[in-house]
Each structure stands twice: as C-alpha cells, then as structure tokens.
Amino acid sequence: MLEGILMGIFGNTIFAIIQGMVTTLFGDKDDDLNNRIYESLEMATKDFFKQYGEIYRKPHSSFLARESNIRLIVQSVYFGKKIDVLKELDRRGFDNEPDVSEEHLHYFVSNLEKIMKEDFILDKLKEEKKHIEESKVANENIKEILEIVTGQSTTTPTVKKGNWQLTDLATGNEIPFIEGKKYHQKYPNGVEQIFMIKDDIISVDFKDKDGRWSYHEIDISKGSAKNNKFPYPVSEYKLVVNKSDIINKTVTPLSNGYYQEEMTLKWGRTSKVIYDINDRIQQCNVSGEWMVNHNSKTISPHNE
C-alpha cells in the first residue's frame, strides 16, 4: 500500500516532510501516522486539481508545492500553537502559476478537514487539540509539562494555581484543578502522562510512544528539574555541551575518586553533575532549557 501512496502527485518529497515533522514532534518515526497524514493530503490534493486543474495547471508550481504550507498543515494536527490553516497558508504559486484564490483555498482546506475527520486517529488528535485550546490556562499548563519532559523550552506560569482549569481529553469538559491530585492523560499515539502539582513542584511520570517511562520533578518557580528517573540508568547517559556555550566551569574532587562538575552556560542554563571514577554520571541536576534524548542517551542544551 505504501508504494501506491508514494506514486501520488508529489511523490516522496511531501512524505519526507511529513516524516520529519512527526519525528520532530514525537521524537521518533511513526509510520502509521505519516501514512494517514500523507493519504489525507494526497486525496485532498488530487480532488483539488481535478476540480481546478484548468486554472492551476502545474501542481509542482502551485501553492501546495510550498514546503512551508505542508509543514503548517502537519503542525495544525498536533497540540501546541493554535493554527488557522485557511488564514496562514501561503497562497502564492511558483514560476508564474497563479496564486490560489480565497474561494479555491477554502475548498481545499474544507475538503482536507473532511477527509481527516473520516480518519479516526487524525480526527481524535484534532478533537483533543480543540478541547485543549478551548481552555487557554489548561493548554498552557499541559504544554509546559510536555515541553519539559520532551526537552522543549518552558516558561513559568503567571496564573495563580487557584484559577487553573484542566480539560478532560475524553469528554472535552473542564475539570477543576486540585493541588496534590494526580491526573492521568493518554494520547492516541500511545503517549501517557501522570502528573501532580504541589507547592510549585510538577511531578510527572511520562511514557513515550515506545513505551519507555521516565519520571521528573520540575520546580515551576525556578524552571529547574530534579529527581529525574530515566528509562535507562543515568550512568549510561552523556552530558553534551558545546565549549563555546560555557561561561563558567568548576570541578570539585569528592571521595572515592568521584567529582562534581558545575557549569554556567549561555542563555540562563546551569548544570551540576556528579561523576564516578570512570566519568560516568551518577547524579544530574540542570536548570534552564535542556533536552534528553533517550535514543542517543544524551543530555544537552535545547537550541530552538
């Protein structure tokens, strides 16, 4: 079936873009999700040129050939930034091909939405995103948790906890935030998170799409992580830092050949790591924007 899909109007190019986007968003390839998004785009695109092919004669020079437009469409499926595809798509064509009209663009976007809605997984993703966006405070709180545990940047909440609201992803209903209560959420791609917020500490048990669980405690007032438990022993991980980012570095000898390394890096990042006599990490505390890659087993500053 995959070969049939790839023989479409744009071939491997768009599929590669989608594959890269899914990898960026979820940390690994998800071939089923790639195929679902690609099939939806392929169906909507074929229908568009069947309807308006006399006006837009060269698909490879149309607005749909813009990589930025494909990325925007893929991003619109996932949690995070709210995207108005109809308003944000670049309407320009290439090589003297006409810009797509508002009427024709509306036809394409509406048809794509309809096709995605007929796919259970894509519809579920979009519905859950809609539920989250309906509560801005809930969206920010959940987004911060996901950003921290997946290595993305985070900001300190400005809304008092007493005013927080969460969204039940199964029903879309708002539920009250209770300090010290555990909340369990599951996503269609297999990701799960169990989190609790108490005394400015977010405790998160997070399962990635490969079934690997990791645990983190984040101080939301300082933006720092502590008491991390990775899916693999911390001694198997490496701290990877560019020398040009280091502002200060202090190494303190400890007993039994152990030593502590403290670093201050650019952009408000710090690290305090204890190594054993074989230079293996025994304890690691970082603050600022960092990312952990469980595939390469590395801990490194997150650079947007």
Side-chain angles (χ1 to χ4, degrees):
M1 183 179 71
L2 186 59
E3 291 181 357
I5 295 172
L6 297 182
M7 290 303 292
I9 293 175
F10 294 103
N12 290 346
T13 303
I14 286 183
F15 190 82
I17 294 170
I18 294 170
Q19 189 174 65
M21 287 291 296
V22 173
T23 300
T24 299
L25 289 162
F26 286 113
D28 202 354
K29 294 180 181 179
D30 188 327
D31 290 336
D32 179 63
L33 206 52
N34 293 339
N35 291 344
R36 291 175 186 275
I37 297 173
Y38 186 90
E39 285 180 318
S40 297
L41 267 169
E42 183 72 9
M43 290 174 64
T45 301
K46 284 182 177 178
D47 184 75
F48 178 83
F49 287 107
K50 181 179 180 180
Q51 185 76 11
Y52 301 113
E54 293 184 1
I55 300 173
Y56 312 99
R57 296 178 179 274
K58 300 177 181 178
H60 285 84
S61 297
S62 72
F63 77 102
L64 284 168
R66 290 189 178 276
E67 181 175 339
S68 60
N69 283 342
I70 302 304
R71 289 186 177 275
L72 187 73
I73 291 169
V74 176
Q75 285 178 316
S76 72
V77 178
Y78 296 99
F79 311 107
K81 178 183 175 183
K82 186 175 182 179
I83 295 174
D84 188 330
V85 175
L86 189 62
K87 290 183 179 180
E88 297 185 41
L89 281 177
D90 189 335
R91 302 184 182 186
R92 295 174 300 163
F94 296 97
D95 303 325
N96 298 319
E97 276 294 289
D99 300 347
V100 65
S101 69
E102 184 172 352
E103 177 186 350
H104 298 166
L105 182 62
H106 188 276
Y107 177 90
F108 171 78
V109 172
S110 297
N111 193 33
L112 179 62
E113 289 284 340
K114 179 183 176 183
I115 292 169
M116 285 187 170
K117 193 169 183 63
E118 292 172 352
D119 184 291
F120 173 78
I121 298 298
L122 296 183
D123 184 50
K124 183 69 172 175
L125 274 173
K126 292 176 73 67
E127 281 298 312
E128 288 179 353
K129 178 178 180 177
K130 179 181 176 182
H131 294 330
I132 292 174
E133 289 172 348
E134 286 173 350
S135 174
K136 292 183 179 179
V137 175
N139 184 34
E140 287 303 313
N141 295 338
I142 294 171
K143 180 171 175 285
E144 284 163 5
I145 294 168
L146 285 172
E147 285 176 340
I148 292 169
V149 299
T150 56
Q152 304 299 312
S153 61
T154 183
T155 55
T156 302
T158 57
V159 182
K160 294 182 179 180
K161 292 199 293 289
N163 297 326
W164 287 3
Q165 289 285 325
L166 302 174
T167 300
D168 186 331
L169 297 182
T171 65
N173 297 326
E174 287 190 354
I175 53 178
F177 163 74
I178 300 175
E179 188 163 1
K181 179 179 178 179
K182 292 181 183 177
Y183 295 89
H184 189 178
Q185 294 183 326
K186 298 181 180 181
Y187 298 86
N189 65 324
V191 170
E192 291 184 45
Q193 62 176 9
I194 303 170
F195 66 93
M196 177 181 74
I197 305 173
K198 185 176 182 181
D199 298 330
D200 289 333
I201 301 296
I202 301 179
S203 302
V204 187
D205 216 2
F206 181 83
K207 186 182 81 169
D208 65 21
K209 64 176 291 295
D210 293 313
R212 299 176 297 199
W213 284 93
S214 57
Y215 178 80
H216 310 266
E217 291 179 2
I218 303 100
D219 187 331
I220 57 178
S221 66
K222 299 177 181 178
S224 59
K226 61 178 183 178
N227 296 332
N228 299 293
K229 181 176 175 58
F230 298 153
Y232 307 107
V234 70
S235 59
E236 295 183 13
Y237 290 76
K238 298 290 184 182
L239 191 73
V240 180
V241 175
N242 290 328
K243 291 182 178 180
S244 61
D245 286 339
I246 300 174
I247 299 174
N248 294 306
K249 179 178 177 179
T250 303
V251 178
T252 306
L254 303 173
S255 61
N256 300 323
Y258 282 42
Y259 63 95
Q260 176 177 281
E261 181 184 82
E262 294 186 71
M263 289 190 292
T264 301
L265 287 81
K266 294 177 181 178
W267 317 118
R269 302 182 179 103
T270 64
S271 68
K272 181 186 291 186
V273 183
I274 294 177
Y275 293 92
D276 67 11
I277 194 171
N278 297 310
D279 300 323
R280 293 177 301 204
I281 295 176
Q282 299 301 305
Q283 183 177 323
C284 180
N285 290 304
V286 297
S287 65
E289 299 177 337
W290 293 78
M291 65 181 297
V292 179
N293 188 318
H294 297 306
N295 293 325
S296 62
K297 296 181 181 178
T298 55
I299 304 166
S300 57
H302 173 65
N303 297 307
E304 295 183 357

